[in-house]
Amino acid sequence: MSEHTDGREPRLRPGGAPVGRAAFLGTVAVGLSSLVWGKAAWDRVSGVVSPVAGTLLPVLPTSGWRIYSIADTMPRFDPTTWRLRVDGLVAEPLELDYRKLRALPRVEQVSTFHCVTGWTVQNVHWAGVRIADVIEPAEPRSGARALRFVSAEHPYDDYLTLEQTTLPDVMLAYEMDGKPLSRGHGAPLRLIIPDMYGYKNVKWLERIELVRVDGSGYWENLGYDRDAWVGHSNGYST
Ligand SMILES: Nc1nc2c(c(=O)[nH]1)N[C@H]1C(S)=C(S)[C@@H](COP(=O)(O)O)O[C@H]1N2
Ligand SMILES: [Mo]
């Protein structure tokens, strides 16, 4: 089932093309309140594209994906029992069910997805929610400077600093290319941070733990960089 049969991501091909940070369009919210925020994302974009991702770019299925998992079976999503927990350094730990998740303000983006092993998928259309909208109701304590993203596929997890989560194109996605996330792509919710390599984009998210500092995620324990910036991180483990 797993493509990672050797227990690590294969080394990036020598000469594998690094890809710049301009390859995404930024996450834009649907609705008026997003305009200011959308513009910030917009300023980082090169080329002529729409500030509202869905309006110019049709939602077409993207191709070139490889489905990755580390366990023998992928978690199965049951909308009646699924919960996202927000806990750790918060005043009010909370649990979101799927209905509440879908009721949060919707944001969208079109971006390029990069696996550190060298494959990329362009023009992926993601829809979901902003991390701030999920964690703020839990009232993070001032000492919480990082987030641990825990997958229902144990023991997969990874971290972002609080600052990294405020990048305009970081989101939690429940739709890909106009359809609810498929099981293989992490149903019902995954982390999206297109500026970093795929291994930071935790699938089958079940918990966000607020912590003091970031730690070492699943692939980082096997040698990959914590700050997995596309084109600027080690890209291999030895
Ligand atoms: N839970 C979990 N999340 C994961 C992984 C995984 O094995 N398990 N693989 C990561 C890696 S290395 C990549 S490149 C992307 C691949 O996303 P896809 O499986 O939707 O193509 O998911 C990331 N998130
Ligand atoms: Mo990857």
Side-chain angles (χ1 to χ4, degrees), residues 143-148 159-162 209-215:
R145 306 306 304 164
L147 280 67
R148 174 174 172 241
Y159 295 79
L160 293 179
T161 65
L162 201 55
E209 184 188 5
L210 282 280
V211 293
R212 207 169 47 77
V213 288
D214 60 337

Side-chain angles (χ1 to χ4, degrees), residues 4 9 68 113-117 119 197-199 219:
H4 296 304
E9 290 222 78
Y68 282 165
F113 190 93
H114 306 272
C115 175
V116 72
T117 61
W119 56 267
Y197 285 115
Y199 61 87
W219 284 110

Side-chain angles (χ1 to χ4, degrees), residues 1 10 14 19 41 65 85 88 95 117 136 189 201 203:
M1 160 124 349
V19 195
W65 291 104
R85 291 207 313 281
E95 286 197 345
T117 61
E136 272 167 16
L189 195 65
N201 295 239
K203 302 194 288 184

Side-chain angles (χ1 to χ4, degrees), residues 22-43:
F24 74 97
L25 304 185
T27 302
V28 290
V30 178
L32 199 62
S33 63
S34 70
L35 288 178
V36 174
W37 183 82
K39 185 172 180 308
W42 196 236
D43 288 339

Side-chain angles (χ1 to χ4, degrees), residues 68 70 75 84 113 126 147-160 171-174 181 184-193 196-208 217-220:
Y68 282 165
I70 55 150
L84 175 69
F113 190 93
W126 301 107
L147 280 67
R148 174 174 172 241
F149 297 88
V150 183
S151 176
E153 186 198 36
H154 302 284
Y156 203 103
D157 66 354
D158 214 325
Y159 295 79
L160 293 179
M171 66 188 286
L172 306 177
Y174 50 62
L181 271 192
H185 285 303
L189 195 65
R190 74 184 292 169
L191 174 62
I192 296 301
I193 175 164
M196 290 197 187
Y197 285 115
Y199 61 87
K200 301 295 284 194
N201 295 239
V202 177
K203 302 194 288 184
W204 304 294
L205 200 58
E206 69 169 11
R207 179 179 176 208
I208 299 176
Y218 181 83
W219 284 110
E220 292 141 33

Side-chain angles (χ1 to χ4, degrees), residues 76-87:
R76 191 180 292 279
F77 167 49
D78 177 346
T80 62
T81 56
W82 181 84
R83 301 284 185 276
L84 175 69
R85 291 207 313 281
V86 180
D87 61 9

